Amino acid sequence: MYDLDKGVVLQVGKGKGSEALVPFWKRIKINKVQIESVAIDMSPAYILSVKTNAPKATMVFDHFHIIKKLNETISKIRRDLYNKEKDKVIKKSLKGSRWLLLKNPENLNLEKGEDSRLEKVLETNTTLFYAYYLKEELRELWNQDNIRDASKLLKQWIEEANETEIPQLKKMVELLTKHKTGILNWYKCNISTGPLEGINNKIKTLKRQAYGYRDLDFFMLKIKAMHQDIYAKCG
């Protein structure tokens, strides 16, 4: 649990279930803290935990995780197509195309001809073409002028994804439809779990440098103290 305003780790829980949040909520209640907004992924356990313990808080589903879910969907579509494809030429173009499909267009390496390779893959497969197009369209959801425009774009995306009749995309439609309010809440509270992802990377580095920690409580104290080290370096 991370304070986005102060940039500090508030609590470190054991495990990934809602039970890991119990000590945190106890602290919140004891100190009578009012949480205004929460950036969270779409884990059912965490959603229920927030709704139960901070019912008035605005819940924002992080766009990083939404795009990650869609990228996983595209990867599965490509893998399924590759396994079913009989044409050796098309099969060869699908092989190794995963990162091309997941990369943002502006990050393609033109010198290595990644743009041409991607174009060839999309030209030979209609299913991947639609999936890629929808991935790029969804990225624009967080670039709209206001929540009204974003809502229109999301509604259009859901309709277009449904029309493709691609099973994997239909599952994505169900997910986005179910969590529509939390996704659009980004326009009410412009927060994300991005800073927390940065902390997670630092935690991995901390663990790697120490070759692991046998004392879990000590490891948790080291994690909580990370922000103090940052301030000390800043003077």
Side-chain angles (χ1 to χ4, degrees):
M1 281 62 75
Y2 185 78
D3 188 323
L4 290 169
D5 289 329
K6 297 180 180 179
V8 297
V9 176
L10 298 174
Q11 187 87 21
V12 181
K14 299 178 182 179
K16 296 182 179 181
S18 59
E19 64 278 358
L21 301 175
V22 172
F24 172 72
W25 293 123
K26 285 183 179 179
R27 283 182 59 195
I28 292 297
K29 290 176 182 178
I30 291 172
N31 291 284
K32 297 180 179 180
V33 175
Q34 295 296 321
I35 298 179
E36 295 180 358
S37 56
V38 178
I40 190 174
D41 63 24
M42 293 178 284
S43 162
Y46 293 164
I47 292 171
L48 180 59
S49 184
V50 172
K51 284 183 176 179
T52 302
N53 295 281
K56 294 183 179 180
T58 300
M59 201 181 308
V60 181
F61 294 127
D62 183 62
H63 59 276
F64 169 83
H65 288 93
I66 295 168
I67 295 300
K68 182 181 178 182
K69 284 283 186 183
L70 184 54
N71 283 342
E72 290 172 355
T73 299
I74 290 176
S75 294
K76 188 175 188 310
I77 291 172
R78 186 204 66 85
R79 185 169 60 250
D80 290 347
L81 289 170
Y82 177 83
N83 291 333
K84 294 176 182 177
E85 185 58 57
K86 302 299 182 183
D87 188 301
K88 291 184 178 180
V89 176
I90 297 178
K91 198 176 183 75
K92 184 178 179 180
S93 69
L94 287 172
K95 187 176 182 179
S97 64
R98 178 170 177 260
W99 293 113
L100 294 176
L101 293 163
L102 301 187
K103 263 189 177 184
N104 296 335
E106 62 272 17
N107 295 331
L108 290 171
N109 190 321
L110 304 185
E111 293 182 0
K112 293 183 178 180
E114 288 184 345
D115 55 332
S116 300
R117 286 175 57 201
L118 175 61
E119 186 177 350
K120 184 177 180 180
V121 172
L122 298 179
E123 282 180 351
T124 55
N125 198 292
T126 305
T127 300
L128 274 182
F129 173 82
Y130 283 128
Y132 182 82
Y133 164 78
L134 286 167
K135 182 202 74 163
E136 291 304 307
E137 187 174 16
L138 190 63
R139 284 179 61 208
E140 292 302 311
L141 183 63
W142 296 274
N143 294 323
Q144 302 305 298
D145 292 331
N146 50 61
I147 192 171
R148 184 183 300 175
D149 291 345
S151 181
K152 289 180 181 178
L153 189 149
L154 182 55
K155 181 181 178 182
Q156 179 182 329
W157 191 94
I158 288 172
E159 290 174 353
E160 290 179 351
N162 263 328
E163 289 174 359
T164 65
E165 295 295 333
I166 301 172
Q168 296 91 336
L169 284 178
K170 282 185 172 292
K171 290 183 179 179
M172 193 70 193
V173 164
E174 292 175 6
L175 186 69
L176 298 189
T177 301
K178 182 178 179 180
H179 299 303
K180 179 181 178 180
T181 300
I183 294 169
L184 295 174
N185 274 344
W186 184 83
Y187 281 88
K188 296 179 180 179
C189 301
N190 191 343
I191 57 174
S192 77
T193 62
L196 184 59
E197 295 301 324
I199 288 294
N200 284 337
N201 289 332
K202 290 180 182 178
I203 290 173
K204 292 176 183 177
T205 301
L206 189 67
K207 186 176 180 180
R208 187 168 59 250
Q209 289 175 341
Y211 297 99
Y213 286 88
R214 293 184 180 181
D215 189 328
L216 190 58
D217 291 330
F218 178 67
F219 184 36
M220 289 183 177
L221 287 174
K222 291 288 288 182
I223 294 171
K224 291 179 182 179
M226 282 194 301
H227 69 280
Q228 296 174 355
D229 293 336
I230 294 171
Y231 292 152
K233 290 175 182 177
C234 293

